[in-house]
Amino acid sequence: MILAFDIGGSRIKAAVWDGALQPLGEVVTPLADKAAFNAAVAGFVTGQETGIAISIAGVVDPASGVGKVANIPAIDGLRLGPEVQAATGLPVRVLNDADCFTLAEAFHGAGRGHGSVFGVILGSGVGGGVVIDGRLVTGAGGYAGEWGHGPVIRGEYAFQCGCGQVGCVDTIGGARGLERLHRKRTAELLRAEAIIAGWMAGEAEPGETMALWRELVAGPLAMVLNVVGADVVPVGGGLSRAPGLVRYLDEAVRVRMLRRTKGPLLVPAECGADAGLLGAAMAGVAAWA
Protein backbone atom coordinates (compact mmCIF):
# COMPACT_ATOMS: atom_id res chain seq x y z
CA MET A 1 0.00 0.00 0.00
CA ILE A 2 1.39 3.38 -1.06
CA LEU A 3 0.42 6.60 0.73
CA ALA A 4 0.38 9.36 -1.89
CA PHE A 5 0.25 13.13 -1.43
CA ASP A 6 -0.38 16.02 -3.80
CA ILE A 7 0.96 19.08 -2.00
CA GLY A 8 0.36 22.63 -3.15
CA GLY A 9 0.55 26.06 -1.61
CA SER A 10 -2.98 25.86 -0.21
CA ARG A 11 -3.96 22.20 0.28
CA ILE A 12 -2.43 18.80 1.02
CA LYS A 13 -4.43 16.05 -0.72
CA ALA A 14 -3.88 12.43 0.33
CA ALA A 15 -4.79 9.02 -1.08
CA VAL A 16 -3.72 5.40 -0.79
CA TRP A 17 -2.91 3.09 -3.68
CA ASP A 18 -3.64 -0.60 -3.20
CA GLY A 19 -4.28 -1.44 -6.83
CA ALA A 20 -6.61 1.53 -7.16
CA LEU A 21 -6.50 5.10 -5.90
CA GLN A 22 -8.53 5.66 -2.73
CA PRO A 23 -8.79 9.35 -1.71
CA LEU A 24 -8.33 10.06 2.00
CA GLY A 25 -9.20 13.76 2.08
CA GLU A 26 -7.21 16.95 2.39
CA VAL A 27 -5.93 19.50 4.91
CA VAL A 28 -4.62 23.05 4.74
CA THR A 29 -0.92 23.28 3.88
CA PRO A 30 1.12 24.75 6.78
CA LEU A 31 3.25 27.29 4.95
CA ALA A 32 5.62 28.62 7.60
CA ASP A 33 5.91 25.88 10.24
CA LYS A 34 8.03 22.82 9.40
CA ALA A 35 6.81 20.83 12.41
CA ALA A 36 3.18 21.53 11.50
CA PHE A 37 3.86 20.49 7.92
CA ASN A 38 5.38 17.18 9.00
CA ALA A 39 2.52 16.61 11.43
CA ALA A 40 -0.04 17.25 8.69
CA VAL A 41 1.53 14.55 6.52
CA ALA A 42 2.04 12.12 9.40
CA GLY A 43 -1.61 12.49 10.35
CA PHE A 44 -2.60 10.34 7.37
CA VAL A 45 -0.29 7.41 8.29
CA THR A 46 -2.05 4.28 9.56
CA GLY A 47 0.90 1.91 9.83
CA GLN A 48 -0.22 -0.24 6.90
CA GLU A 49 1.73 1.68 4.25
CA THR A 50 4.81 0.47 2.39
CA GLY A 51 6.05 4.00 1.70
CA ILE A 52 5.11 7.60 1.00
CA ALA A 53 5.23 9.25 -2.42
CA ILE A 54 4.79 13.02 -2.71
CA SER A 55 3.91 15.24 -5.66
CA ILE A 56 4.94 18.81 -4.93
CA ALA A 57 4.96 22.13 -6.76
CA GLY A 58 8.73 22.43 -6.77
CA VAL A 59 11.90 20.80 -8.05
CA VAL A 60 13.88 18.21 -6.07
CA ASP A 61 17.51 17.52 -6.93
CA PRO A 62 17.66 13.71 -7.28
CA ALA A 63 21.30 13.67 -6.18
CA SER A 64 21.06 15.78 -3.01
CA GLY A 65 17.34 15.50 -2.25
CA VAL A 66 17.18 19.26 -1.67
CA GLY A 67 13.96 20.84 -2.88
CA LYS A 68 13.16 24.27 -4.26
CA VAL A 69 9.57 24.87 -3.13
CA ALA A 70 9.03 28.60 -3.33
CA ASN A 71 5.35 28.59 -2.38
CA ILE A 72 5.88 26.62 0.87
CA PRO A 73 8.62 28.45 2.84
CA ALA A 74 8.55 25.88 5.67
CA ILE A 75 10.18 23.24 3.46
CA ASP A 76 11.97 25.35 0.85
CA GLY A 77 15.66 24.39 0.65
CA LEU A 78 15.22 21.27 2.80
CA ARG A 79 15.72 17.59 2.08
CA LEU A 80 11.99 16.90 2.28
CA GLY A 81 12.28 13.13 1.91
CA PRO A 82 14.39 12.61 5.06
CA GLU A 83 12.28 15.18 6.93
CA VAL A 84 9.05 13.29 6.27
CA GLN A 85 10.74 9.92 6.81
CA ALA A 86 11.86 11.03 10.27
CA ALA A 87 8.31 12.14 11.08
CA THR A 88 6.60 8.98 9.80
CA GLY A 89 9.13 6.16 9.92
CA LEU A 90 8.41 5.32 6.29
CA PRO A 91 10.58 5.55 3.15
CA VAL A 92 9.70 8.64 1.12
CA ARG A 93 9.96 9.64 -2.52
CA VAL A 94 9.40 13.28 -3.55
CA LEU A 95 8.69 14.33 -7.13
CA ASN A 96 7.85 17.45 -9.09
CA ASP A 97 4.12 17.83 -9.80
CA ALA A 98 4.62 17.99 -13.58
CA ASP A 99 6.59 14.73 -13.41
CA CYS A 100 3.74 13.15 -11.46
CA PHE A 101 1.25 14.43 -14.03
CA THR A 102 3.29 12.80 -16.79
CA LEU A 103 3.60 9.50 -14.91
CA ALA A 104 -0.16 9.43 -14.37
CA GLU A 105 -0.84 10.09 -18.05
CA ALA A 106 1.77 7.54 -19.15
CA PHE A 107 0.28 4.71 -17.08
CA HIS A 108 -3.42 5.57 -16.82
CA GLY A 109 -4.16 8.42 -19.22
CA ALA A 110 -3.55 9.57 -22.77
CA GLY A 111 -0.05 8.03 -22.83
CA ARG A 112 -1.11 4.44 -22.18
CA GLY A 113 0.63 2.04 -24.51
CA HIS A 114 3.18 4.60 -25.74
CA GLY A 115 6.93 4.25 -25.23
CA SER A 116 7.86 7.94 -25.07
CA VAL A 117 5.50 10.37 -23.34
CA PHE A 118 6.14 14.10 -22.95
CA GLY A 119 3.63 15.68 -20.59
CA VAL A 120 2.82 19.37 -20.99
CA ILE A 121 1.11 21.55 -18.40
CA LEU A 122 -0.39 24.85 -19.51
CA GLY A 123 -1.65 26.32 -16.26
CA SER A 124 -0.75 29.66 -14.73
CA GLY A 125 2.66 28.96 -16.25
CA VAL A 126 4.29 26.17 -18.25
CA GLY A 127 5.61 22.80 -17.07
CA GLY A 128 6.49 19.38 -18.39
CA GLY A 129 7.83 15.92 -17.73
CA VAL A 130 9.34 12.96 -19.59
CA VAL A 131 8.52 9.25 -19.25
CA ILE A 132 10.37 6.82 -21.53
CA ASP A 133 9.65 3.08 -21.54
CA GLY A 134 7.68 3.45 -18.34
CA ARG A 135 10.44 5.25 -16.45
CA LEU A 136 10.45 8.85 -15.32
CA VAL A 137 13.44 10.86 -16.57
CA THR A 138 14.40 13.54 -14.03
CA GLY A 139 17.88 14.44 -15.30
CA ALA A 140 20.63 16.41 -13.61
CA GLY A 141 19.22 18.64 -10.91
CA GLY A 142 15.73 17.24 -11.48
CA TYR A 143 15.01 19.67 -14.33
CA ALA A 144 14.31 17.28 -17.21
CA GLY A 145 11.08 18.24 -18.95
CA GLU A 146 11.15 21.88 -17.82
CA TRP A 147 10.67 23.25 -21.33
CA GLY A 148 9.21 26.51 -20.03
CA HIS A 149 12.60 28.01 -19.21
CA GLY A 150 15.41 29.24 -21.43
CA PRO A 151 15.89 32.53 -23.35
CA VAL A 152 14.17 31.46 -26.59
CA ILE A 153 11.90 34.44 -27.32
CA ARG A 154 13.32 37.65 -28.74
CA GLY A 155 11.99 41.11 -29.47
CA GLU A 156 9.07 42.94 -27.92
CA TYR A 157 7.53 39.80 -26.44
CA ALA A 158 10.65 38.76 -24.51
CA PHE A 159 9.53 39.29 -20.92
CA GLN A 160 11.46 38.95 -17.67
CA CYS A 161 10.96 35.52 -16.11
CA GLY A 162 10.87 34.62 -12.43
CA CYS A 163 13.80 32.26 -13.02
CA GLY A 164 16.01 35.27 -13.76
CA GLN A 165 16.18 34.92 -17.53
CA VAL A 166 14.46 36.90 -20.27
CA GLY A 167 12.29 35.39 -23.00
CA CYS A 168 11.22 32.10 -21.38
CA VAL A 169 8.19 30.27 -22.75
CA ASP A 170 6.85 30.32 -19.18
CA THR A 171 6.37 34.09 -19.45
CA ILE A 172 3.93 33.81 -22.38
CA GLY A 173 2.73 30.19 -22.57
CA GLY A 174 0.38 29.84 -19.61
CA ALA A 175 -2.74 31.76 -18.63
CA ARG A 176 -0.83 34.68 -17.11
CA GLY A 177 1.39 34.76 -20.20
CA LEU A 178 -1.61 34.89 -22.52
CA GLU A 179 -2.92 37.85 -20.54
CA ARG A 180 0.50 39.51 -20.77
CA LEU A 181 0.58 39.09 -24.55
CA HIS A 182 -2.88 40.56 -24.97
CA ARG A 183 -2.04 43.52 -22.75
CA LYS A 184 1.17 44.18 -24.70
CA ARG A 185 -0.69 44.02 -28.03
CA THR A 186 -3.81 45.99 -27.12
CA ALA A 187 -3.22 47.72 -23.74
CA GLU A 188 -6.42 45.91 -22.69
CA LEU A 189 -6.56 44.10 -19.34
CA LEU A 190 -8.42 40.84 -19.93
CA ARG A 191 -8.36 37.54 -18.08
CA ALA A 192 -7.30 34.47 -20.06
CA GLU A 193 -10.86 33.11 -19.92
CA ALA A 194 -12.18 36.26 -21.63
CA ILE A 195 -9.46 36.19 -24.30
CA ILE A 196 -10.23 32.57 -25.12
CA ALA A 197 -13.98 33.20 -25.12
CA GLY A 198 -13.45 36.04 -27.60
CA TRP A 199 -11.26 33.85 -29.78
CA MET A 200 -13.89 31.11 -29.80
CA ALA A 201 -16.54 33.69 -30.70
CA GLY A 202 -14.49 34.87 -33.68
CA GLU A 203 -13.56 38.29 -32.29
CA ALA A 204 -10.62 39.95 -34.05
CA GLU A 205 -8.37 41.12 -31.20
CA PRO A 206 -8.57 37.95 -29.09
CA GLY A 207 -8.05 35.97 -32.30
CA GLU A 208 -4.85 37.84 -33.09
CA THR A 209 -3.60 37.35 -29.54
CA MET A 210 -4.26 33.62 -29.75
CA ALA A 211 -2.48 33.41 -33.09
CA LEU A 212 0.53 35.19 -31.58
CA TRP A 213 0.43 32.88 -28.54
CA ARG A 214 0.40 29.81 -30.79
CA GLU A 215 3.28 31.13 -32.91
CA LEU A 216 5.47 31.80 -29.88
CA VAL A 217 4.72 28.50 -28.11
CA ALA A 218 4.65 26.07 -31.04
CA GLY A 219 8.25 26.52 -32.20
CA PRO A 220 9.96 25.86 -28.84
CA LEU A 221 7.66 22.90 -28.17
CA ALA A 222 8.36 21.40 -31.60
CA MET A 223 12.10 21.64 -30.91
CA VAL A 224 11.68 19.86 -27.57
CA LEU A 225 9.64 17.10 -29.16
CA ASN A 226 12.30 16.64 -31.85
CA VAL A 227 14.83 16.06 -29.08
CA VAL A 228 12.66 13.81 -26.90
CA GLY A 229 11.05 11.85 -29.73
CA ALA A 230 7.67 11.74 -28.01
CA ASP A 231 5.02 9.31 -29.25
CA VAL A 232 2.28 11.33 -27.59
CA VAL A 233 1.99 14.62 -25.69
CA PRO A 234 -0.79 14.74 -23.08
CA VAL A 235 -1.62 18.38 -22.31
CA GLY A 236 -3.12 19.39 -18.97
CA GLY A 237 -3.55 22.49 -16.83
CA GLY A 238 -6.33 25.04 -16.72
CA LEU A 239 -5.54 26.65 -20.07
CA SER A 240 -5.68 23.30 -21.84
CA ARG A 241 -9.31 22.77 -20.89
CA ALA A 242 -10.53 25.45 -23.30
CA PRO A 243 -12.41 23.63 -26.09
CA GLY A 244 -10.27 23.32 -29.20
CA LEU A 245 -7.12 24.86 -27.71
CA VAL A 246 -5.04 21.67 -27.63
CA ARG A 247 -5.98 20.89 -31.23
CA TYR A 248 -5.19 24.49 -32.24
CA LEU A 249 -1.68 24.23 -30.76
CA ASP A 250 -1.15 20.68 -32.07
CA GLU A 251 -1.70 21.79 -35.66
CA ALA A 252 1.05 24.40 -35.37
CA VAL A 253 3.50 22.13 -33.54
CA ARG A 254 3.27 19.23 -36.01
CA VAL A 255 4.09 21.33 -39.07
CA ARG A 256 7.24 22.60 -37.30
CA MET A 257 8.59 19.15 -36.41
CA LEU A 258 10.81 16.85 -38.44
CA ARG A 259 8.53 13.88 -37.80
CA ARG A 260 5.22 13.85 -39.68
CA THR A 261 2.17 12.25 -38.10
CA LYS A 262 -1.23 11.63 -39.66
CA GLY A 263 -3.08 12.12 -36.41
CA PRO A 264 -2.73 14.47 -33.44
CA LEU A 265 0.42 14.40 -31.33
CA LEU A 266 -0.78 16.81 -28.64
CA VAL A 267 -3.92 15.43 -26.98
CA PRO A 268 -5.99 16.45 -23.95
CA ALA A 269 -4.88 14.88 -20.68
CA GLU A 270 -7.25 12.29 -19.21
CA CYS A 271 -6.41 11.92 -15.50
CA GLY A 272 -7.96 15.15 -14.29
CA ALA A 273 -7.59 16.56 -10.79
CA ASP A 274 -6.14 13.34 -9.36
CA ALA A 275 -3.13 13.27 -11.73
CA GLY A 276 -0.72 14.40 -9.00
CA LEU A 277 -1.87 11.75 -6.55
CA LEU A 278 -1.97 9.06 -9.22
CA GLY A 279 1.48 9.91 -10.56
CA ALA A 280 2.97 9.95 -7.07
CA ALA A 281 1.41 6.55 -6.42
CA MET A 282 2.95 5.20 -9.63
CA ALA A 283 6.37 6.44 -8.49
CA GLY A 284 5.81 4.65 -5.19
CA VAL A 285 4.84 1.42 -6.91
CA ALA A 286 8.00 1.62 -9.02
CA ALA A 287 10.12 2.18 -5.92
CA TRP A 288 8.62 -0.34 -3.50
CA ALA A 289 6.38 -2.83 -5.30
Side-chain angles (χ1 to χ4, degrees):
M1 181 182 293
I2 307 298
L3 179 57
F5 291 96
D6 186 2
I7 301 178
S10 58
R11 310 294 294 179
I12 295 175
K13 296 167 59 178
V16 292
W17 173 269
D18 56 1
L21 197 67
Q22 308 290 338
L24 297 177
E26 58 183 56
V27 296
V28 174
T29 304
L31 296 179
D33 187 330
K34 182 177 71 171
F37 179 92
N38 287 335
V41 172
F44 287 97
V45 175
T46 66
Q48 303 301 310
E49 298 84 5
T50 305
I52 293 174
I54 297 174
S55 167
I56 198 157
V59 176
V60 178
D61 187 324
S64 68
V66 173
K68 180 61 179 175
V69 191
N71 62 343
I72 309 177
I75 58 173
D76 187 33
L78 298 182
R79 298 177 66 230
L80 182 58
E83 288 280 343
V84 174
Q85 183 168 347
T88 63
L90 291 167
V92 179
R93 188 169 184 196
V94 185
L95 299 97
N96 167 261
D97 55 356
D99 288 342
C100 286
F101 161 81
T102 307
L103 275 170
E105 289 295 325
F107 282 95
H108 295 278
R112 292 188 306 274
H114 293 279
S116 179
V117 179
F118 188 80
V120 166
I121 295 179
L122 299 175
S124 296
V126 172
V130 186
V131 171
I132 296 177
D133 294 333
R135 300 187 63 172
L136 177 68
V137 179
T138 55
Y143 291 105
E146 289 290 347
W147 70 285
H149 295 280
V152 297
I153 297 169
R154 296 286 187 267
E156 61 180 319
Y157 300 113
F159 301 112
Q160 181 72 44
C161 184
C163 75
Q165 301 186 93
V166 175
C168 293
V169 174
D170 191 71
T171 66
I172 53 89
R176 303 292 81 79
L178 180 61
E179 294 162 2
R180 187 178 291 117
L181 286 176
H182 191 74
R183 186 165 62 250
K184 178 72 172 177
R185 280 194 60 253
T186 67
E188 185 179 27
L189 295 173
L190 281 184
R191 296 287 292 176
E193 296 84 354
I195 297 168
I196 291 171
W199 163 63
M200 293 175 63
E203 296 175 14
E205 290 293 358
E208 290 188 23
T209 296
M210 289 300 297
L212 173 63
W213 173 84
R214 181 170 75 160
E215 178 68 23
L216 294 175
V217 172
L221 183 52
M223 178 66 75
V224 170
L225 299 183
N226 280 342
V227 173
V228 174
D231 296 323
V232 65
V233 183
V235 184
L239 200 62
S240 74
R241 290 193 285 273
L245 185 141
V246 173
R247 183 176 66 253
Y248 182 65
L249 180 58
D250 173 70
E251 292 167 352
V253 170
R254 285 193 289 131
V255 299
R256 288 163 171 79
M257 293 178 59
L258 291 174
R259 178 188 173 208
R260 291 289 179 258
T261 63
K262 292 182 179 179
L265 183 62
L266 277 65
V267 296
E270 297 179 0
C271 292
D274 286 335
L277 286 170
L278 187 55
M282 294 302 94
V285 168
W288 303 304

